[in-house]
């Protein structure tokens, strides 16, 4: 499944998409305006994710984004800030999280890139796309995202962990920090327990959630 937005095609469906995804709205009997339907789909997705059903959650987030996409495409002022736009970004961010957890790296890159086309400095989208690019072996592309993250969150532990991963592959950053920042960051990394490294929902909670996002996902 794909849709057209701002003259380009956005692909947001993973290869294992549920066959019943097209009936999501009927299953939950969503009613109301587009933003109300999308908000209901997003809330249902969060509940599904909390229950460990990430594929179903992805279907709900995808449905919410699809509903809002049609609204935004018909809005002549879509470049401005609006509740529909904020909810659209939140649904996409949540969808990117589900793809990341499922190891759907190309889908993660595609959805995160759409978020960044709307909000270039969104740290969640930058982080997730960087992680996916590293897993795909696209280290230079990953560095580009990481350098932006370092400018925004220079002492974020998880950002610094990504930097270490890239350095293992011989990729160094062109963004420099002061010695005091580097020392402080190294101390924070040393304190972090390795058991938290792969728990995406745990460490995403440490990020300041964007408008409309619950649970940091």
């Amino acid at each position: 499944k794909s849709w057209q937005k701002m003259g380009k095609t956005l692909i947001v469906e993973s290869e294992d998409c549920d066959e019943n995804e097209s009936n999501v709205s009927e299953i939950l009997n969503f009613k109301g305006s587009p933003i109300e339907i999308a908000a209901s789909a997003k809330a249902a997705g969060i509940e599904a994710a909390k229950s460990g059903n990430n594929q179903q959650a992805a279907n709900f987030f995808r449905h919410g984004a699809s509903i809002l996409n049609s609204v935004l495409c018909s809005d002549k002022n879509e470049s401005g800030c609006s509740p529909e736009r904020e909810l659209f970004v939140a649904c996409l961010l949540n969808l990117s999280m589900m793809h990341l957890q499922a190891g759907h790296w190309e889908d993660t890159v595609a959805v995160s890139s759409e978020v960044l086309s709307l909000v270039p400095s969104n740290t969640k989208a930058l982080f997730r796309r960087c992680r996916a690019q590293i897993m795909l072996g696209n280290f230079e592309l990953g560095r580009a995202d990481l350098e932006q993250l370092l400018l925004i969150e220079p002492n974020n532990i998880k950002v610094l962990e990504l930097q270490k991963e890239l350095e293992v592959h011989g990729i160094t950053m062109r963004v420099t920090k002061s010695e005091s920042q580097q020392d402080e960051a190294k101390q924070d990394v040393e304190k972090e327990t390795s058991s938290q490294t792969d728990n995406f929902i745990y460490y995403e909670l440490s990020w300041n959630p964007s408008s409309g996002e619950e649970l940091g996902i």
Side-chain angles (χ1 to χ4, degrees), residues 16 39 45 61 77 109 137 143-144 185 193 199 208 210:
D16 350 328
F61 296 140
N77 298 314
V109 170
R143 174 168 71 175
T193 59
N199 189 334
N208 292 325
S210 299

Side-chain angles (χ1 to χ4, degrees), residues 27-177:
I27 292 171
L28 289 188
N29 195 26
F30 291 151
K31 295 180 180 179
S33 66
I35 193 170
E36 289 172 335
I37 294 173
S40 295
K42 175 174 169 285
I46 288 172
E47 289 305 310
K50 288 166 65 177
S51 300
N53 192 339
N54 287 5
Q55 182 56 58
Q56 186 181 61
N59 290 341
F60 287 132
F61 296 140
R62 186 182 298 110
H63 183 72
S66 180
I67 292 291
L68 291 168
N69 178 72
S70 61
V71 174
L72 292 173
C73 282
S74 63
D75 184 358
K76 295 180 180 179
N77 298 314
E78 67 170 330
S79 60
C81 182
S82 69
E84 290 84 2
R85 180 187 171 95
E86 290 183 1
L87 184 56
F88 179 64
V89 168
C91 285
L92 289 179
L93 284 171
N94 291 353
L95 180 59
S96 73
M97 181 64 159
M98 297 301 99
H99 285 322
L100 187 67
Q101 287 189 316
H104 299 153
W105 312 125
E106 292 182 354
D107 291 321
T108 303
V109 170
V111 178
S112 297
S113 294
E114 177 64 12
V115 172
L116 292 167
S117 74
L118 298 169
V119 191
S121 61
N122 187 283
T123 51
K124 290 183 179 182
L126 284 168
F127 183 91
R128 293 168 191 169
R129 190 170 71 176
C130 178
R131 160 60 66 193
Q133 295 288 22
I134 291 174
M135 298 306 295
L136 288 168
N138 300 328
F139 302 127
E140 290 294 338
L141 292 174
R143 174 168 71 175
D145 286 338
L146 184 54
E147 286 176 340
Q148 290 188 61
L149 280 169
L150 286 169
L151 291 173
I152 302 168
E153 296 275 357
N155 294 320
N156 185 289
I157 292 173
K158 295 304 172 181
V159 172
L160 293 170
E161 287 178 354
L162 285 183
Q163 182 177 354
K164 281 189 170 182
E165 287 188 45
L166 281 173
E167 288 174 348
V168 168
H169 295 285
I171 305 297
T172 57
M173 297 302 104
R174 292 164 294 198
V175 174
T176 59
K177 296 181 292 181

